[in-house]
Amino acid sequence: MSLSRPTTSRLPRLVTRSFIRAPKHQFRTPFHTTTRQTLHVLPEMADERPTGLKANKGIELLTWGTPNGWKASILLEELKEAYGKDYAWQGINISQNIQKEEWFTKLGPNGRIPVIVDHDKGDFAVQEGLAILTYLTRHYDPDHKFSFTDDLDVSRAEQWMAWQHGGLGPMQGQANHFNRFAKERIAYGMQRYTGETERLVGILEKQLKSNDYLVGNKFSIADIANFGWIHMLRFSGVELDDFPSLKAWWERILARPGVQRGLNIPSKSGFGNDTYLQKLKDDKEFAEKERELREKVKAAKEQYGYKYSSP
């Protein structure tokens, strides 16, 4: 495995976003590899394996660079920009199964990232991205910049977040698994989950044709919940250009400085739509292997008579 690494001096494992940003280097290993560890850049600070909480005040985030991890880091960056609410974070390298260790599962029993710990409220821990988004806005978004006061808009936001939590995330995750990480290529699984991802993305496209954002015509936690998965849509085998309203929404959110900073925690991932396209241009070998993968997905769809429809 070949990873580009920064030449900066060794840094402490706990990082507070007020004074340092994660390095913005890219990995060299192709996306199609079956080794999950190569999907993320390991910053120099990750050399020290976390063994427990390090902060004693404020919010402490335990996360990794995935669509679920980005939910927490993006909102925390937006809250920091809006209110000056600082926080600390530790990178939890999921390829090393740190999230399965006893100290972590005491905080997040499911053994998944992200988890936050609110040291100002008796070290209260919150697991699951949806729960983290609602917890943070309930306690730290007094002006409702990213949440809502109207009961119906609150319900609308909850619906889109639940829709992602139970639909888009699991289905797109399975598409990634069967297309890229399964030990054997199973045509039915490839077409089933890629097709279901396309169907779900079509629902977002319809909602965004007449709306800049998912709820209340403003950027909110409903958008944050869904954004990370759309940010890696091309990596999942679905062409973002086929959904123009969704693409415009993705570009609108990606342009936010808080979102950019959140995507860099613990370091910039290589499977975002922008970096994926750049790698296609820069790496001929990678582009050819991605073309072969697309052909396999196409053949799987033809084998089982897949026809796109949404909803």
mmCIF file of all heavy atoms in Angstrom, residues 47-92:
data_model
loop_
_atom_site.group_PDB
_atom_site.id
_atom_site.type_symbol
_atom_site.label_atom_id
_atom_site.label_comp_id
_atom_site.label_asym_id
_atom_site.label_seq_id
_atom_site.Cartn_x
_atom_site.Cartn_y
_atom_site.Cartn_z
ATOM 1 N N ASP A 47 -0.440 8.481 13.519
ATOM 2 C CA ASP A 47 0.552 7.505 13.941
ATOM 3 C C ASP A 47 0.341 7.093 15.393
ATOM 4 O O ASP A 47 0.691 5.996 15.793
ATOM 5 C CB ASP A 47 1.963 8.077 13.771
ATOM 6 C CG ASP A 47 2.368 8.147 12.310
ATOM 7 O OD1 ASP A 47 1.678 7.525 11.489
ATOM 8 O OD2 ASP A 47 3.362 8.816 12.008
ATOM 9 N N GLU A 48 -0.197 7.994 16.195
ATOM 10 C CA GLU A 48 -0.464 7.682 17.590
ATOM 11 C C GLU A 48 -1.875 7.139 17.711
ATOM 12 O O GLU A 48 -2.851 7.858 17.523
ATOM 13 C CB GLU A 48 -0.291 8.931 18.458
ATOM 14 C CG GLU A 48 -0.466 8.664 19.938
ATOM 15 C CD GLU A 48 -0.284 9.918 20.763
ATOM 16 O OE1 GLU A 48 0.287 10.886 20.238
ATOM 17 O OE2 GLU A 48 -0.729 9.918 21.924
ATOM 18 N N ARG A 49 -2.007 5.867 18.016
ATOM 19 C CA ARG A 49 -3.312 5.212 18.053
ATOM 20 C C ARG A 49 -4.117 5.709 19.249
ATOM 21 O O ARG A 49 -3.649 5.664 20.386
ATOM 22 C CB ARG A 49 -3.117 3.704 18.152
ATOM 23 C CG ARG A 49 -4.392 2.882 18.035
ATOM 24 C CD ARG A 49 -4.086 1.407 18.254
ATOM 25 N NE ARG A 49 -5.270 0.591 18.083
ATOM 26 C CZ ARG A 49 -5.599 -0.020 16.949
ATOM 27 N NH1 ARG A 49 -4.816 0.109 15.891
ATOM 28 N NH2 ARG A 49 -6.695 -0.753 16.864
ATOM 29 N N PRO A 50 -5.346 6.200 19.027
ATOM 30 C CA PRO A 50 -6.152 6.671 20.153
ATOM 31 C C PRO A 50 -6.551 5.519 21.062
ATOM 32 O O PRO A 50 -6.864 4.424 20.597
ATOM 33 C CB PRO A 50 -7.373 7.302 19.479
ATOM 34 C CG PRO A 50 -7.451 6.652 18.144
ATOM 35 C CD PRO A 50 -6.043 6.354 17.735
ATOM 36 N N THR A 51 -6.536 5.782 22.348
ATOM 37 C CA THR A 51 -6.878 4.752 23.336
ATOM 38 C C THR A 51 -7.951 5.221 24.307
ATOM 39 O O THR A 51 -8.271 4.514 25.258
ATOM 40 C CB THR A 51 -5.625 4.342 24.132
ATOM 41 O OG1 THR A 51 -5.070 5.504 24.772
ATOM 42 C CG2 THR A 51 -4.583 3.713 23.220
ATOM 43 N N GLY A 52 -8.500 6.399 24.086
ATOM 44 C CA GLY A 52 -9.529 6.923 24.969
ATOM 45 C C GLY A 52 -9.751 8.390 24.699
ATOM 46 O O GLY A 52 -9.130 8.983 23.808
ATOM 47 N N LEU A 53 -10.654 8.988 25.452
ATOM 48 C CA LEU A 53 -10.950 10.402 25.291
ATOM 49 C C LEU A 53 -9.773 11.244 25.765
ATOM 50 O O LEU A 53 -9.061 10.870 26.695
ATOM 51 C CB LEU A 53 -12.211 10.761 26.076
ATOM 52 C CG LEU A 53 -13.491 10.050 25.626
ATOM 53 C CD1 LEU A 53 -14.632 10.357 26.585
ATOM 54 C CD2 LEU A 53 -13.864 10.449 24.200
ATOM 55 N N LYS A 54 -9.601 12.410 25.129
ATOM 56 C CA LYS A 54 -8.490 13.283 25.480
ATOM 57 C C LYS A 54 -8.947 14.650 25.983
ATOM 58 O O LYS A 54 -8.222 15.309 26.708
ATOM 59 C CB LYS A 54 -7.586 13.474 24.253
ATOM 60 C CG LYS A 54 -6.928 12.193 23.752
ATOM 61 C CD LYS A 54 -5.891 11.685 24.728
ATOM 62 C CE LYS A 54 -5.186 10.443 24.202
ATOM 63 N NZ LYS A 54 -4.293 10.746 23.070
ATOM 64 N N ALA A 55 -10.111 15.107 25.551
ATOM 65 C CA ALA A 55 -10.586 16.430 25.965
ATOM 66 C C ALA A 55 -11.265 16.344 27.329
ATOM 67 O O ALA A 55 -11.611 15.260 27.812
ATOM 68 C CB ALA A 55 -11.554 16.995 24.934
ATOM 69 N N ASN A 56 -11.476 17.497 27.949
ATOM 70 C CA ASN A 56 -12.200 17.532 29.222
ATOM 71 C C ASN A 56 -13.266 18.621 29.253
ATOM 72 O O ASN A 56 -13.883 18.856 30.285
ATOM 73 C CB ASN A 56 -11.236 17.707 30.399
ATOM 74 C CG ASN A 56 -10.332 18.918 30.236
ATOM 75 O OD1 ASN A 56 -10.688 19.891 29.566
ATOM 76 N ND2 ASN A 56 -9.152 18.850 30.833
ATOM 77 N N LYS A 57 -13.472 19.286 28.116
ATOM 78 C CA LYS A 57 -14.542 20.272 28.017
ATOM 79 C C LYS A 57 -14.997 20.365 26.570
ATOM 80 O O LYS A 57 -14.276 19.984 25.642
ATOM 81 C CB LYS A 57 -14.077 21.640 28.513
ATOM 82 C CG LYS A 57 -12.951 22.249 27.700
ATOM 83 C CD LYS A 57 -12.554 23.616 28.255
ATOM 84 C CE LYS A 57 -11.426 24.225 27.420
ATOM 85 N NZ LYS A 57 -11.048 25.565 27.936
ATOM 86 N N GLY A 58 -16.215 20.877 26.381
ATOM 87 C CA GLY A 58 -16.751 21.034 25.039
ATOM 88 C C GLY A 58 -17.104 19.709 24.384
ATOM 89 O O GLY A 58 -17.221 18.669 25.032
ATOM 90 N N ILE A 59 -17.258 19.748 23.066
ATOM 91 C CA ILE A 59 -17.592 18.565 22.277
ATOM 92 C C ILE A 59 -16.309 17.900 21.802
ATOM 93 O O ILE A 59 -15.396 18.557 21.307
ATOM 94 C CB ILE A 59 -18.452 18.943 21.053
ATOM 95 C CG1 ILE A 59 -19.777 19.571 21.486
ATOM 96 C CG2 ILE A 59 -18.700 17.716 20.166
ATOM 97 C CD1 ILE A 59 -20.720 18.629 22.181
ATOM 98 N N GLU A 60 -16.260 16.585 21.932
ATOM 99 C CA GLU A 60 -15.168 15.796 21.367
ATOM 100 C C GLU A 60 -15.758 14.845 20.338
ATOM 101 O O GLU A 60 -16.668 14.070 20.634
ATOM 102 C CB GLU A 60 -14.431 15.021 22.454
ATOM 103 C CG GLU A 60 -13.235 14.230 21.935
ATOM 104 C CD GLU A 60 -12.357 13.663 23.046
ATOM 105 O OE1 GLU A 60 -12.608 13.993 24.232
ATOM 106 O OE2 GLU A 60 -11.433 12.894 22.737
ATOM 107 N N LEU A 61 -15.237 14.902 19.127
ATOM 108 C CA LEU A 61 -15.728 14.099 18.013
ATOM 109 C C LEU A 61 -14.764 12.959 17.727
ATOM 110 O O LEU A 61 -13.559 13.165 17.583
ATOM 111 C CB LEU A 61 -15.875 14.981 16.767
ATOM 112 C CG LEU A 61 -16.126 14.277 15.431
ATOM 113 C CD1 LEU A 61 -17.467 13.548 15.435
ATOM 114 C CD2 LEU A 61 -16.059 15.281 14.282
ATOM 115 N N LEU A 62 -15.309 11.757 17.624
ATOM 116 C CA LEU A 62 -14.555 10.567 17.228
ATOM 117 C C LEU A 62 -15.071 10.164 15.853
ATOM 118 O O LEU A 62 -16.234 9.786 15.712
ATOM 119 C CB LEU A 62 -14.767 9.438 18.241
ATOM 120 C CG LEU A 62 -14.518 9.804 19.710
ATOM 121 C CD1 LEU A 62 -14.893 8.648 20.625
ATOM 122 C CD2 LEU A 62 -13.064 10.217 19.935
ATOM 123 N N THR A 63 -14.212 10.221 14.832
ATOM 124 C CA THR A 63 -14.742 10.099 13.476
ATOM 125 C C THR A 63 -13.698 9.602 12.499
ATOM 126 O O THR A 63 -12.524 9.435 12.826
ATOM 127 C CB THR A 63 -15.294 11.460 13.011
ATOM 128 O OG1 THR A 63 -16.081 11.275 11.831
ATOM 129 C CG2 THR A 63 -14.171 12.454 12.745
ATOM 130 N N TRP A 64 -14.149 9.379 11.265
ATOM 131 C CA TRP A 64 -13.281 9.032 10.142
ATOM 132 C C TRP A 64 -13.907 9.614 8.882
ATOM 133 O O TRP A 64 -15.081 10.007 8.899
ATOM 134 C CB TRP A 64 -13.108 7.519 10.037
ATOM 135 C CG TRP A 64 -11.938 7.077 9.203
ATOM 136 C CD1 TRP A 64 -11.974 6.317 8.069
ATOM 137 C CD2 TRP A 64 -10.554 7.352 9.450
ATOM 138 N NE1 TRP A 64 -10.707 6.107 7.589
ATOM 139 C CE2 TRP A 64 -9.814 6.735 8.418
ATOM 140 C CE3 TRP A 64 -9.869 8.074 10.427
ATOM 141 C CZ2 TRP A 64 -8.422 6.811 8.333
ATOM 142 C CZ3 TRP A 64 -8.483 8.151 10.348
ATOM 143 C CH2 TRP A 64 -7.775 7.521 9.315
ATOM 144 N N GLY A 65 -13.156 9.690 7.787
ATOM 145 C CA GLY A 65 -13.623 10.365 6.580
ATOM 146 C C GLY A 65 -14.561 9.525 5.743
ATOM 147 O O GLY A 65 -14.171 8.989 4.700
ATOM 148 N N THR A 66 -15.810 9.412 6.181
ATOM 149 C CA THR A 66 -16.846 8.667 5.465
ATOM 150 C C THR A 66 -18.102 9.530 5.387
ATOM 151 O O THR A 66 -18.215 10.533 6.096
ATOM 152 C CB THR A 66 -17.194 7.359 6.194
ATOM 153 O OG1 THR A 66 -17.921 7.675 7.396
ATOM 154 C CG2 THR A 66 -15.938 6.560 6.551
ATOM 155 N N PRO A 67 -19.081 9.154 4.563
ATOM 156 C CA PRO A 67 -20.324 9.941 4.512
ATOM 157 C C PRO A 67 -20.997 10.104 5.867
ATOM 158 O O PRO A 67 -21.567 11.161 6.149
ATOM 159 C CB PRO A 67 -21.199 9.136 3.543
ATOM 160 C CG PRO A 67 -20.221 8.478 2.629
ATOM 161 C CD PRO A 67 -19.056 8.112 3.510
ATOM 162 N N ASN A 68 -20.949 9.080 6.705
ATOM 163 C CA ASN A 68 -21.542 9.220 8.031
ATOM 164 C C ASN A 68 -20.687 10.104 8.936
ATOM 165 O O ASN A 68 -21.203 10.917 9.698
ATOM 166 C CB ASN A 68 -21.752 7.843 8.663
ATOM 167 C CG ASN A 68 -22.891 7.086 8.016
ATOM 168 O OD1 ASN A 68 -23.860 7.681 7.562
ATOM 169 N ND2 ASN A 68 -22.776 5.774 7.953
ATOM 170 N N GLY A 69 -19.378 9.944 8.846
ATOM 171 C CA GLY A 69 -18.500 10.787 9.644
ATOM 172 C C GLY A 69 -18.617 12.255 9.277
ATOM 173 O O GLY A 69 -18.549 13.140 10.148
ATOM 174 N N TRP A 70 -18.807 12.535 7.990
ATOM 175 C CA TRP A 70 -18.911 13.932 7.542
ATOM 176 C C TRP A 70 -20.132 14.640 8.111
ATOM 177 O O TRP A 70 -20.123 15.863 8.256
ATOM 178 C CB TRP A 70 -18.963 13.981 6.016
ATOM 179 C CG TRP A 70 -17.690 13.566 5.359
ATOM 180 C CD1 TRP A 70 -16.419 13.706 5.850
ATOM 181 C CD2 TRP A 70 -17.553 12.928 4.083
ATOM 182 N NE1 TRP A 70 -15.503 13.193 4.961
ATOM 183 C CE2 TRP A 70 -16.170 12.706 3.870
ATOM 184 C CE3 TRP A 70 -18.458 12.524 3.109
ATOM 185 C CZ2 TRP A 70 -15.681 12.104 2.711
ATOM 186 C CZ3 TRP A 70 -17.975 11.921 1.956
ATOM 187 C CH2 TRP A 70 -16.600 11.716 1.763
ATOM 188 N N LYS A 71 -21.182 13.906 8.424
ATOM 189 C CA LYS A 71 -22.363 14.557 9.003
ATOM 190 C C LYS A 71 -21.967 15.365 10.233
ATOM 191 O O LYS A 71 -22.335 16.537 10.375
ATOM 192 C CB LYS A 71 -23.410 13.513 9.394
ATOM 193 C CG LYS A 71 -24.010 12.734 8.251
ATOM 194 C CD LYS A 71 -24.919 11.636 8.788
ATOM 195 C CE LYS A 71 -25.395 10.722 7.680
ATOM 196 N NZ LYS A 71 -26.208 9.595 8.190
ATOM 197 N N ALA A 72 -21.245 14.729 11.139
ATOM 198 C CA ALA A 72 -20.877 15.381 12.393
ATOM 199 C C ALA A 72 -19.842 16.475 12.172
ATOM 200 O O ALA A 72 -19.965 17.581 12.713
ATOM 201 C CB ALA A 72 -20.352 14.340 13.379
ATOM 202 N N SER A 73 -18.808 16.196 11.393
ATOM 203 C CA SER A 73 -17.734 17.180 11.230
ATOM 204 C C SER A 73 -18.215 18.418 10.478
ATOM 205 O O SER A 73 -17.818 19.544 10.800
ATOM 206 C CB SER A 73 -16.530 16.549 10.520
ATOM 207 O OG SER A 73 -16.884 16.020 9.256
ATOM 208 N N ILE A 74 -19.091 18.243 9.490
ATOM 209 C CA ILE A 74 -19.613 19.401 8.757
ATOM 210 C C ILE A 74 -20.467 20.273 9.670
ATOM 211 O O ILE A 74 -20.303 21.504 9.706
ATOM 212 C CB ILE A 74 -20.414 18.944 7.521
ATOM 213 C CG1 ILE A 74 -19.460 18.435 6.432
ATOM 214 C CG2 ILE A 74 -21.274 20.085 6.976
ATOM 215 C CD1 ILE A 74 -20.157 17.813 5.234
ATOM 216 N N LEU A 75 -21.381 19.667 10.424
ATOM 217 C CA LEU A 75 -22.222 20.479 11.302
ATOM 218 C C LEU A 75 -21.394 21.172 12.377
ATOM 219 O O LEU A 75 -21.627 22.349 12.692
ATOM 220 C CB LEU A 75 -23.315 19.629 11.946
ATOM 221 C CG LEU A 75 -24.249 20.405 12.896
ATOM 222 C CD1 LEU A 75 -24.901 21.596 12.192
ATOM 223 C CD2 LEU A 75 -25.312 19.488 13.488
ATOM 224 N N LEU A 76 -20.418 20.488 12.935
ATOM 225 C CA LEU A 76 -19.579 21.112 13.960
ATOM 226 C C LEU A 76 -18.802 22.296 13.386
ATOM 227 O O LEU A 76 -18.632 23.322 14.059
ATOM 228 C CB LEU A 76 -18.632 20.079 14.563
ATOM 229 C CG LEU A 76 -19.287 19.139 15.580
ATOM 230 C CD1 LEU A 76 -18.400 17.934 15.855
ATOM 231 C CD2 LEU A 76 -19.606 19.872 16.879
ATOM 232 N N GLU A 77 -18.343 22.176 12.145
ATOM 233 C CA GLU A 77 -17.657 23.304 11.517
ATOM 234 C C GLU A 77 -18.623 24.457 11.255
ATOM 235 O O GLU A 77 -18.271 25.629 11.422
ATOM 236 C CB GLU A 77 -16.995 22.856 10.213
ATOM 237 C CG GLU A 77 -15.711 22.080 10.417
ATOM 238 C CD GLU A 77 -14.619 22.914 11.058
ATOM 239 O OE1 GLU A 77 -14.561 24.141 10.813
ATOM 240 O OE2 GLU A 77 -13.815 22.339 11.820
ATOM 241 N N GLU A 78 -19.838 24.146 10.839
ATOM 242 C CA GLU A 78 -20.832 25.195 10.601
ATOM 243 C C GLU A 78 -21.219 25.884 11.914
ATOM 244 O O GLU A 78 -21.384 27.110 11.960
ATOM 245 C CB GLU A 78 -22.070 24.603 9.925
ATOM 246 C CG GLU A 78 -21.846 24.121 8.499
ATOM 247 C CD GLU A 78 -21.775 25.262 7.489
ATOM 248 O OE1 GLU A 78 -21.965 26.440 7.875
ATOM 249 O OE2 GLU A 78 -21.534 24.976 6.298
ATOM 250 N N LEU A 79 -21.370 25.125 12.987
ATOM 251 C CA LEU A 79 -21.689 25.713 14.289
ATOM 252 C C LEU A 79 -20.542 26.578 14.796
ATOM 253 O O LEU A 79 -20.765 27.631 15.408
ATOM 254 C CB LEU A 79 -21.998 24.607 15.300
ATOM 255 C CG LEU A 79 -23.304 23.841 15.090
ATOM 256 C CD1 LEU A 79 -23.380 22.653 16.046
ATOM 257 C CD2 LEU A 79 -24.515 24.752 15.278
ATOM 258 N N LYS A 80 -19.334 26.141 14.524
ATOM 259 C CA LYS A 80 -18.181 26.939 14.936
ATOM 260 C C LYS A 80 -18.168 28.275 14.207
ATOM 261 O O LYS A 80 -17.921 29.337 14.802
ATOM 262 C CB LYS A 80 -16.889 26.173 14.666
ATOM 263 C CG LYS A 80 -15.650 26.946 15.070
ATOM 264 C CD LYS A 80 -14.394 26.163 14.761
ATOM 265 C CE LYS A 80 -13.174 27.023 15.061
ATOM 266 N NZ LYS A 80 -11.916 26.324 14.750
ATOM 267 N N GLU A 81 -18.439 28.242 12.905
ATOM 268 C CA GLU A 81 -18.450 29.476 12.123
ATOM 269 C C GLU A 81 -19.595 30.395 12.542
ATOM 270 O O GLU A 81 -19.438 31.618 12.591
ATOM 271 C CB GLU A 81 -18.562 29.133 10.635
ATOM 272 C CG GLU A 81 -18.488 30.337 9.715
ATOM 273 C CD GLU A 81 -18.407 29.937 8.259
ATOM 274 O OE1 GLU A 81 -17.578 29.062 7.921
ATOM 275 O OE2 GLU A 81 -19.178 30.489 7.450
ATOM 276 N N ALA A 82 -20.748 29.814 12.851
ATOM 277 C CA ALA A 82 -21.929 30.615 13.177
ATOM 278 C C ALA A 82 -21.902 31.165 14.598
ATOM 279 O O ALA A 82 -22.339 32.296 14.846
ATOM 280 C CB ALA A 82 -23.190 29.778 12.976
ATOM 281 N N TYR A 83 -21.390 30.372 15.539
ATOM 282 C CA TYR A 83 -21.498 30.741 16.954
ATOM 283 C C TYR A 83 -20.154 30.781 17.690
ATOM 284 O O TYR A 83 -20.125 31.128 18.875
ATOM 285 C CB TYR A 83 -22.396 29.739 17.687
ATOM 286 C CG TYR A 83 -23.805 29.650 17.167
ATOM 287 C CD1 TYR A 83 -24.216 28.558 16.406
ATOM 288 C CD2 TYR A 83 -24.740 30.649 17.445
ATOM 289 C CE1 TYR A 83 -25.518 28.458 15.938
ATOM 290 C CE2 TYR A 83 -26.044 30.557 16.981
ATOM 291 C CZ TYR A 83 -26.426 29.463 16.225
ATOM 292 O OH TYR A 83 -27.720 29.369 15.768
ATOM 293 N N GLY A 84 -19.075 30.397 17.032
ATOM 294 C CA GLY A 84 -17.797 30.311 17.726
ATOM 295 C C GLY A 84 -17.691 29.098 18.629
ATOM 296 O O GLY A 84 -16.857 29.063 19.539
ATOM 297 N N LYS A 85 -18.525 28.084 18.388
ATOM 298 C CA LYS A 85 -18.531 26.869 19.200
ATOM 299 C C LYS A 85 -17.374 25.965 18.793
ATOM 300 O O LYS A 85 -17.403 25.309 17.757
ATOM 301 C CB LYS A 85 -19.865 26.132 19.032
ATOM 302 C CG LYS A 85 -19.960 24.784 19.751
ATOM 303 C CD LYS A 85 -19.906 24.939 21.245
ATOM 304 C CE LYS A 85 -20.051 23.587 21.935
ATOM 305 N NZ LYS A 85 -19.878 23.711 23.405
ATOM 306 N N ASP A 86 -16.332 25.933 19.621
ATOM 307 C CA ASP A 86 -15.156 25.136 19.298
ATOM 308 C C ASP A 86 -15.377 23.671 19.673
ATOM 309 O O ASP A 86 -16.301 23.336 20.426
ATOM 310 C CB ASP A 86 -13.934 25.677 20.034
ATOM 311 C CG ASP A 86 -12.662 25.482 19.225
ATOM 312 O OD1 ASP A 86 -12.688 24.689 18.266
ATOM 313 O OD2 ASP A 86 -11.648 26.118 19.559
ATOM 314 N N TYR A 87 -14.536 22.809 19.167
ATOM 315 C CA TYR A 87 -14.623 21.385 19.486
ATOM 316 C C TYR A 87 -13.273 20.738 19.228
ATOM 317 O O TYR A 87 -12.373 21.339 18.626
ATOM 318 C CB TYR A 87 -15.706 20.701 18.655
ATOM 319 C CG TYR A 87 -15.376 20.556 17.182
ATOM 320 C CD1 TYR A 87 -14.909 19.344 16.669
ATOM 321 C CD2 TYR A 87 -15.530 21.620 16.301
ATOM 322 C CE1 TYR A 87 -14.602 19.208 15.320
ATOM 323 C CE2 TYR A 87 -15.232 21.493 14.958
ATOM 324 C CZ TYR A 87 -14.769 20.290 14.469
ATOM 325 O OH TYR A 87 -14.464 20.162 13.135
ATOM 326 N N ALA A 88 -13.122 19.524 19.693
ATOM 327 C CA ALA A 88 -11.911 18.740 19.454
ATOM 328 C C ALA A 88 -12.294 17.456 18.739
ATOM 329 O O ALA A 88 -13.453 17.028 18.791
ATOM 330 C CB ALA A 88 -11.215 18.422 20.778
ATOM 331 N N TRP A 89 -11.339 16.843 18.047
ATOM 332 C CA TRP A 89 -11.651 15.583 17.377
ATOM 333 C C TRP A 89 -10.469 14.626 17.433
ATOM 334 O O TRP A 89 -9.318 15.033 17.582
ATOM 335 C CB TRP A 89 -12.071 15.804 15.929
ATOM 336 C CG TRP A 89 -11.077 16.483 15.027
ATOM 337 C CD1 TRP A 89 -11.018 17.812 14.725
ATOM 338 C CD2 TRP A 89 -10.011 15.864 14.289
ATOM 339 N NE1 TRP A 89 -9.990 18.063 13.853
ATOM 340 C CE2 TRP A 89 -9.354 16.888 13.564
ATOM 341 C CE3 TRP A 89 -9.549 14.555 14.171
ATOM 342 C CZ2 TRP A 89 -8.257 16.643 12.734
ATOM 343 C CZ3 TRP A 89 -8.449 14.299 13.345
ATOM 344 C CH2 TRP A 89 -7.827 15.341 12.637
ATOM 345 N N GLN A 90 -10.803 13.353 17.315
ATOM 346 C CA GLN A 90 -9.799 12.307 17.150
ATOM 347 C C GLN A 90 -10.176 11.464 15.938
ATOM 348 O O GLN A 90 -11.345 11.116 15.752
ATOM 349 C CB GLN A 90 -9.722 11.402 18.380
ATOM 350 C CG GLN A 90 -9.209 12.083 19.637
ATOM 351 C CD GLN A 90 -8.811 11.065 20.687
ATOM 352 O OE1 GLN A 90 -7.825 10.349 20.532
ATOM 353 N NE2 GLN A 90 -9.593 10.978 21.756
ATOM 354 N N GLY A 91 -9.194 11.141 15.104
ATOM 355 C CA GLY A 91 -9.423 10.281 13.952
ATOM 356 C C GLY A 91 -9.452 8.819 14.371
ATOM 357 O O GLY A 91 -8.508 8.331 14.995
ATOM 358 N N ILE A 92 -10.535 8.125 14.031
ATOM 359 C CA ILE A 92 -10.700 6.711 14.373
ATOM 360 C C ILE A 92 -10.555 5.900 13.092
ATOM 361 O O ILE A 92 -11.486 5.813 12.285
ATOM 362 C CB ILE A 92 -12.081 6.457 15.023
ATOM 363 C CG1 ILE A 92 -12.277 7.343 16.253
ATOM 364 C CG2 ILE A 92 -12.239 4.982 15.377
ATOM 365 C CD1 ILE A 92 -11.266 7.117 17.364
#
